[in-house]
Amino acid sequence: MPLALFFKPQASCLLPSRASRLTPHALRLFFMKIIADFHVHSAYSRATSQEMHLPAMARWAGLKGIHLLGTGDFTHPAYFEEIKTDLEETGQGLLKLKGEKSTAAHFILTAETSHIYTQAGKGRRVHMMVFAPTIRSVEKINLHLGRIGNVNSDGRPIFGFSAKDLVKIVLDIDPACLVVPAHVWTPWFSVFGSHSGFDSLEECFEEETANIQVIETGLSSDPAMNRRWSALDRLSLLSNSDAHSPAKIGREANILDCSWSYGDIIQTIKNKDPQHFLATIEFFPEEGKYHFDGHRSCGICYSPEQTREKDYLCPVCGKNLVVGVMHRVETLADRPEGFVPQEAVPALHLVPLEEILGEVYAVGVQSRRIRKEYLRLIERGGSEFRILMDLSEEELRTFMDDRLADGIMQVRRGLVQVKPGYDGVYGQVGIFKNEAPSPPSSPQLTLF
Ligand SMILES: [Zn+2]
Ligand SMILES: [Zn+2]
């Protein structure tokens, strides 16, 4: 299979290097900013970890350096009971674990819904996110949704009514809610998806389009890709993890400089003023599992150009290839690659620390050794984001071996190659380009 290698200098992303030179005092100020991940799933959603309950989610948010976490799944009756039992409202439209100090991670009420319906003679599947300001508004939303659909079977309920109807229903109940098309480019379940989406927001949302002010870019695209399409210029771009297990929390996130209130947070997101919406934290989009086109079962991974050359047909099985996110962006974009809009919210591309550890020590990311070393590093470094973005190189070298510090610095400089993901297969990051991977018996393992 063709392996495309990417080399992405991220010199324009100044936050990490600037932060790495900050004094301890300034660093503290930086960390008073709100790092938020709004889209996660609870144990009540399909294919999620059984650990995804609020106390574990809060603990992992702390390890990651996430200050504000979406609850996810508030439409699910049993999970909503957990929300009401485990959390208390702060009075500012946010929540925290009962009895926790105010410095612990806070929660914001969020959910995702799946809409499967026919419009203009075509089957549509669109995922949507909902933000709500109070337990009271969630009660009203859930009551309504429970009457017109099944909210019990999945933490991310499947509805037969349209994404447009959801916008109207939710905003009629509480105009302070925010409704956001989720991971807008993924092929199977999104507003612009190649297989069941639309060619514009207007086509999908019709007279509700003006109520769509924010979209989620998803793991397989980054803001730069989205900014190639001028139709999205007026929209704010959110980045969230869509985590199904605790360790995946924060793999994408948003850095906001605003007060700790629901209203201010929503307004800051909508305004997309880089003075307050400071940055998004991104996967390298090639790492996302729908970045390129292809067939998982046939082992075919194609760039958009290769797919066009093959007439969209798989050379192994002869069926249509699954057209991924890059291809779809190229189809709809009206600007060349590399276009940078004025006043854009900066994007920081990171590789999760456990993945860097996995490569540095040539051990599976899921292994117990990696987890143990990860927790040791967090204990020393404060949080994953502090290690990845903020601590200076010298500080890093005081509590980790040089090769790991080198790896983190490589990622900060954007010196990473990624074998792109396709048809549900995650891309693979390579940090040390010209080296053969260490064998599993590498002496570095003694570090653990
Ligand atoms: Zn989704
Ligand atoms: Zn095939």
Side-chain angles (χ1 to χ4, degrees):
M1 116 180 45
L3 307 183
L5 290 182
F6 282 80
F7 178 77
K8 277 207 149 184
Q10 299 295 333
S12 58
C13 299
L14 293 174
L15 269 175
S17 46
R18 193 197 63 188
S20 68
R21 287 195 298 271
L22 291 176
T23 62
H25 175 68
L27 197 72
R28 216 181 62 233
L29 289 181
F30 178 75
F31 270 85
M32 287 171 70
K33 312 295 185 250
I34 301 172
I35 305 186
D37 177 1
F38 298 110
H39 185 170
V40 302
H41 288 283
S42 75
Y44 296 96
S45 279
R46 271 175 46 187
T48 50
S49 155
Q50 285 314 299
E51 292 168 64
M52 288 299 267
H53 296 277
L54 295 155
M57 287 154 67
R59 173 171 171 262
W60 273 89
L63 297 174
K64 295 282 171 177
I66 292 283
H67 309 122
L68 179 63
L69 187 64
T71 58
D73 293 0
F74 72 52
T75 56
H76 193 275
Y79 185 61
F80 188 46
E81 282 307 311
E82 289 185 23
I83 290 174
K84 288 190 283 188
T85 307
D86 293 350
L87 303 183
E88 57 191 358
E89 297 188 88
T90 64
Q92 298 299 315
L94 306 174
L95 307 97
K96 65 179 182 63
L97 282 177
K98 278 180 186 160
E100 273 289 343
K101 288 191 284 267
S102 59
T103 50
H106 280 52
F107 286 92
I108 183 167
L109 292 159
T110 61
E112 187 185 31
T113 55
S114 180
H115 300 264
I116 302 184
Y117 55 106
T118 303
Q119 186 174 324
K122 202 179 150 192
R124 313 289 181 167
R125 285 176 248 158
V126 179
H127 283 186
M128 300 290 289
M129 285 180 70
V130 181
F131 294 59
T134 58
I135 293 279
R136 184 78 195 104
S137 27
V138 170
E139 279 168 349
K140 290 185 206 163
I141 293 166
N142 287 356
L143 190 67
H144 191 106
L145 295 179
R147 285 196 196 118
I148 57 175
N150 182 354
V151 291
N152 284 291
S153 60
D154 197 329
R156 181 182 54 214
I158 297 169
F159 295 129
F161 59 89
S162 68
K164 177 183 101 171
D165 287 349
L166 179 85
V167 178
K168 183 161 169 42
I169 289 166
V170 168
L171 296 181
D172 279 353
I173 290 171
D174 190 341
C177 288
L178 177 69
V179 187
V180 175
H183 44 74
V184 295
W185 296 103
T186 54
W188 302 108
F189 293 101
S190 75
V191 65
F192 302 136
S194 58
H195 289 260
S196 44
F198 298 84
D199 289 340
S200 70
L201 281 183
E202 288 75 13
E203 221 185 290
C204 177
F205 294 104
E206 299 174 332
E207 73 276 9
E208 293 295 331
T209 306
N211 286 320
I212 303 297
Q213 292 154 283
V214 182
I215 59 174
E216 184 190 55
T217 55
L219 299 179
S220 296
S221 88
D222 64 359
M225 290 167 65
N226 286 266
R227 291 303 177 208
R228 290 181 59 190
W229 189 18
S230 60
L232 306 182
D233 283 357
R234 69 174 182 87
L235 300 164
S236 179
L237 307 177
L238 275 187
S239 293
N240 299 306
S241 70
D242 204 347
H244 289 206
S245 60
K248 298 265 162 66
I249 287 171
R251 59 187 171 172
E252 292 206 336
N254 312 278
I255 309 180
L256 309 175
D257 182 10
C258 64
S259 74
W260 276 93
S261 82
Y262 174 90
D264 207 23
I265 287 162
I266 299 298
Q267 205 51 52
T268 302
I269 293 170
K270 287 182 179 174
N271 288 350
K272 63 183 173 71
D273 167 5
Q275 298 296 317
H276 296 283
F277 192 157
L278 300 179
T280 58
I281 295 171
E282 305 283 329
F283 246 36
F284 286 86
E286 298 83 5
E287 210 186 339
K289 56 186 178 180
Y290 292 103
H291 186 74
F292 261 15
D293 310 331
H295 261 179
R296 178 181 201 152
S297 54
C298 303
I300 294 295
C301 170
Y302 279 170
S303 69
E305 195 185 358
Q306 290 170 308
T307 300
R308 284 189 293 267
E309 273 167 23
K310 299 285 181 192
D311 240 351
Y312 294 78
L313 297 176
C314 173
V316 176
C317 72
K319 295 187 189 139
N320 284 322
L321 291 164
V322 174
V323 170
V325 165
M326 189 70 222
H327 194 124
R328 193 63 184 141
V329 168
E330 286 191 355
T331 303
L332 293 175
D334 52 3
R335 292 171 178 147
E337 203 172 354
F339 171 82
V340 182
Q342 287 190 321
E343 292 290 285
V345 173
L348 302 159
H349 293 76
L350 297 181
V351 175
L353 182 56
E354 286 192 326
E355 283 181 36
I356 303 176
L357 282 166
E359 178 168 346
V360 166
Y361 300 122
V363 184
V365 173
Q366 306 286 345
S367 75
R368 226 181 282 172
R369 283 167 171 167
I370 293 284
R371 179 58 51 84
K372 199 172 156 211
E373 175 65 358
Y374 175 84
L375 293 173
R376 185 193 75 79
L377 291 167
I378 300 301
E379 184 134 308
R380 295 292 306 276
S383 73
E384 179 169 344
F385 284 146
R386 277 196 82 193
I387 291 171
L388 293 179
M389 302 193 295
D390 283 277
L391 295 179
S392 70
E393 188 169 352
E394 298 70 47
E395 286 170 311
L396 292 179
R397 291 188 196 281
T398 61
F399 64 96
M400 61 181 65
D401 76 286
D402 283 340
R403 192 169 157 83
L404 179 58
D406 291 345
I408 291 169
M409 295 312 292
Q410 289 278 99
V411 172
R412 284 189 191 177
R413 294 181 191 113
L415 302 178
V416 163
Q417 323 101 53
V418 193
K419 185 178 133 188
Y422 66 99
D423 194 15
V425 181
Y426 280 108
Q428 281 170 25
V429 171
I431 296 165
F432 299 102
K433 188 159 121 192
N434 298 316
E435 296 174 32
S438 322
S441 60
S442 154
Q444 287 157 115
L445 287 181
T446 56
L447 275 170
F448 300 107

